[in-house]
Amino acid sequence: MNGDPVPITRTALLIVDLQNDFLHRDGAYARGGQGAASIVALPLRLKPLADAFRAAGGRIISTHFTLVPGKDGEPLISPHLKALRPFLCKGDFAPGSWGHALVDELGPSDLQIEKIAYSAFYMTRLEWLLRKFSIDRLVVGGIVTNGGVASTVRDAHVRDIEAVVLSDGCAAFDDATHQTAIAALKTVARVATIADMLAETKR
């Protein structure tokens, strides 16, 4: 990291898409037979860091993948996503629903960002909020490493927002994909462990 480290008060823990519909046994993805043990394990792995951020004056920002309901209640789903996830149906990832919410283990977050694509910056208020709250650094964990995490981190890079990717605080649907994505992100972000960031937060 160049120069003086960014203080915790100007840092946010960005939790990407750790929502009930993705992780909970009663959520949309479990109903569709989709999931991975590494993904389900993330909330308890990230909880100590989230607690440390709160105690030290950092912010917690959660992003929420969102399927906007049409007039008939059916979600507006991109054709490629519908082909990949045909089990998604009415009520899944709907704004304000239980499935749309951050998992209980990590809540509540200070700021919530609804997103309709991989990147948490695409057509959202995230960058505006970061500027308003003078947040200069994002510590990023969540799912999936090669999707929402990677796209968000790359978008932070082009906006000159410092990002730290948690190598053990992110997951994909298989470990090989996760490891490849982490290696690729080293060109645009710092890669650290949860233990590394816990130590820095408690200084």
Side-chain angles (χ1 to χ4, degrees):
M1 192 183 305
N2 296 324
D4 295 329
V6 177
I8 190 66
T9 53
R10 298 177 74 93
T11 301
L13 176 61
L14 183 66
I15 300 171
V16 179
D17 297 359
L18 294 187
Q19 300 162 256
N20 289 317
D21 263 337
F22 277 128
L23 275 70
H24 198 278
R25 63 180 179 272
D26 296 325
Y29 267 53
R31 186 186 67 238
Q34 301 289 317
S38 58
I39 288 175
V40 174
L42 286 176
L44 290 180
R45 193 176 297 156
L46 285 165
K47 181 174 169 46
L49 185 58
D51 291 343
F53 260 68
R54 292 185 179 100
R59 292 184 185 273
I60 310 294
I61 303 175
S62 57
T63 76
H64 299 252
F65 175 66
T66 303
L67 292 177
V68 178
K71 284 188 176 181
D72 59 357
E74 292 294 334
L76 304 177
I77 303 178
S78 300
H80 78 278
L81 179 60
K82 187 63 177 176
L84 289 170
R85 305 287 186 258
F87 56 83
L88 292 174
C89 60
K90 185 182 293 188
D92 292 343
F93 297 98
S97 68
W98 169 84
H100 188 256
L102 177 66
V103 294
D104 289 342
E105 295 91 334
L106 293 172
S109 55
D110 300 306
L111 302 168
Q112 300 83 39
I113 301 295
E114 289 187 10
K115 68 186 188 72
I116 57 170
Y118 286 133
S119 174
F121 287 96
Y122 178 70
M123 295 180 69
T124 76
R125 58 183 184 153
L126 177 58
E127 184 174 8
W128 182 83
L129 285 171
L130 296 181
R131 306 302 184 194
K132 288 294 184 182
F133 287 108
S134 300
I135 295 170
D136 299 320
R137 180 175 64 160
L138 296 174
V139 176
V140 185
I143 60 171
V144 290
T145 319
N146 57 308
V149 171
S151 296
T152 298
V153 169
R154 291 184 183 279
D155 272 359
H157 173 71
V158 300
R159 289 166 170 79
D160 288 328
I161 298 167
E162 183 182 335
V164 180
V165 183
L166 297 169
S167 58
D168 55 349
C170 302
F173 285 98
D174 64 82
D175 190 60
T177 299
H178 167 75
Q179 296 297 342
T180 298
I182 288 291
L185 287 172
K186 290 179 180 179
T187 62
V188 295
R190 175 188 169 197
V191 174
T193 66
I194 292 171
D196 292 334
M197 296 313 300
L198 273 170
E200 292 181 21
T201 301
K202 293 177 179 179
R203 282 177 188 166

